[in-house]
Amino acid sequence: MAQDPYSELGVARGAKPDEVRRAFRKLAKELHPDKNPGNAKAEERFKRVSAAFDILGDEEKRKKFDRGEIDADGRESMRGFNGGGGYGGGDPFGRGGPGAQGGFGGGGFEGVDLNDIFGEILGGRGGRGFGGPAKGQDIRAKVEIDLEDAIQGGRKRIAFADGRTIDVNIPKGAIDGQMMRLKGQGAPGRAGPGDALIELTFRPHPIFRREGDNLVMDLPISVPDAVLGAKVEAQTPDGPVSLTVPKGANAGQTLRLKGRGLPSGRAGVRGDLLAKVQIVLPDPPDPQLQAFAETWRTERPYTPRRKN
């Protein structure tokens, strides 16, 4: 059985969604199997952290967990064998309570398969407990998604080793390393199929680099645009936009586009897109520009210095 998801992520029960996301992102980067090859403990912890985020990163699942309706594995919880939130006044087996007849009498077990109940409790996920039927094994798969999928959501088709294919809905605000659990899509078993655990990984983007919830890109501009200022076209995950380059823009200067980055933990809120100015000379070199530069260097020399 999984540990308490709040403890796994190291967050308080009242933590805000963005706090949960930051905690998961930090742990996922530290524990990811690609960074810890051959480290079984790190891999197991990564799985537990991913399972915890599968609960706390989903608003509805988190509410159900907080209300005690599901456990840390996402399974429906039993509030009491008599269906009333307790144990019928006696011990867990109904002995010694009012009207007890001995054995299991009066405990509310009529029509209940104890092997199934205790197989789940003691055997854990897929265990046999007191010899009850076993649940099928969980299966694992990775799927690469684009930044646009994380921002807008989408669907991806996944092929499993047994030849099955399923279409998976990618949630908005998906995180690199996030684990999605698909109930009943695992290997078959006598007590029902296991689950499919899908790890989301971000495909490298040709334009954008990720820094938390922000995206960073290089913005090439011409020398005249840098000197005089201009309106230039800039790519964003939502399509091209017109961006204002101020007069006297220097290489490395950052222009910020609010709300054009990755989704944050708060509904409807996104990070920013940071466009770093890159001044690009003509190719091939322009003779007139070279002649102008020669005159400028002779008559108005200057030495660029980093500002303190």
Side-chain angles (χ1 to χ4, degrees):
M1 183 176 291
Q3 300 294 320
D4 176 73
Y6 290 100
S7 298
E8 287 289 0
L9 295 181
V11 297
R13 297 188 75 85
K16 296 180 180 179
D18 55 337
E19 294 178 282
V20 173
R21 287 170 58 84
R22 284 197 299 268
F24 171 72
R25 184 183 290 115
K26 180 176 182 293
L27 290 170
K29 288 181 178 179
E30 293 175 358
L31 300 169
H32 199 282
D34 291 346
K35 290 190 175 181
N36 300 275
N39 188 332
K41 289 185 178 180
E43 182 178 358
E44 180 60 30
R45 180 79 201 287
F46 176 76
K47 293 175 184 177
R48 297 202 310 269
V49 165
S50 297
F53 185 72
D54 183 59
I55 298 290
L56 301 187
D58 184 295
E59 184 179 355
E60 290 303 315
K61 288 183 181 179
R62 182 176 179 178
K63 288 179 180 178
K64 288 183 178 181
F65 177 80
D66 289 343
R67 291 193 297 262
E69 296 175 7
I70 61 173
D71 62 16
D73 289 313
R75 298 174 298 190
E76 292 186 4
S77 300
M78 292 183 297
R79 293 179 176 274
F81 294 121
N82 67 354
Y87 294 106
D91 69 13
F93 300 101
R95 296 176 297 212
Q101 302 295 318
F104 293 111
F109 279 95
E110 200 171 318
V112 176
D113 187 338
L114 291 181
N115 275 334
D116 283 347
I117 292 175
F118 291 107
E120 279 293 306
I121 295 175
L122 299 182
R125 183 175 297 276
R128 292 184 177 271
F130 286 119
K135 186 178 179 182
Q137 293 291 319
D138 293 343
I139 60 175
R140 300 176 183 274
K142 285 187 178 182
V143 59
E144 281 192 329
I145 64 173
D146 297 317
L147 292 176
E148 291 83 357
D149 294 324
I151 292 171
Q152 302 165 7
R155 288 177 67 84
K156 292 290 183 181
R157 177 159 293 182
I158 301 175
F160 293 105
D162 59 7
R164 290 184 302 122
T165 61
I166 59 174
D167 291 327
V168 176
N169 289 320
I170 307 300
K172 291 183 179 180
I175 296 176
D176 191 23
Q178 179 175 341
M179 194 76 74
M180 298 175 57
R181 183 181 294 275
L182 305 181
K183 297 289 186 181
Q185 295 292 339
R190 291 182 60 195
D195 301 333
L197 304 178
I198 310 300
E199 182 183 349
L200 303 180
T201 60
F202 280 10
R203 186 180 290 114
H205 200 280
I207 298 176
F208 308 114
R209 306 181 295 278
R210 295 168 49 234
E211 288 186 1
D213 292 334
N214 294 332
L215 294 176
V216 182
M217 64 175 288
D218 294 330
L219 181 69
I221 63 172
S222 68
V223 173
D225 288 346
V227 174
L228 303 174
K231 294 278 190 180
V232 299
E233 184 178 276
Q235 291 296 322
T236 79
D238 307 292
V241 299
S242 180
L243 184 61
T244 300
V245 177
K247 291 182 179 181
N250 274 310
Q253 183 173 342
T254 299
L255 307 178
R256 184 181 298 267
L257 287 139
K258 289 281 189 181
R260 296 282 184 167
L262 292 171
S264 70
R266 292 171 293 171
V269 178
R270 288 171 54 178
D272 301 332
L273 175 59
L274 308 178
K276 293 187 177 294
V277 172
Q278 302 290 330
I279 299 174
V280 180
L281 295 174
D283 185 19
D286 183 273
Q288 288 183 307
L289 180 59
Q290 288 179 323
F292 173 80
E294 287 288 350
T295 301
W296 184 275
R297 183 164 59 183
T298 301
E299 298 179 357
R300 304 175 67 89
Y302 76 100
T303 301
R305 290 184 177 85
R306 184 183 301 276
K307 295 180 180 179
N308 294 327

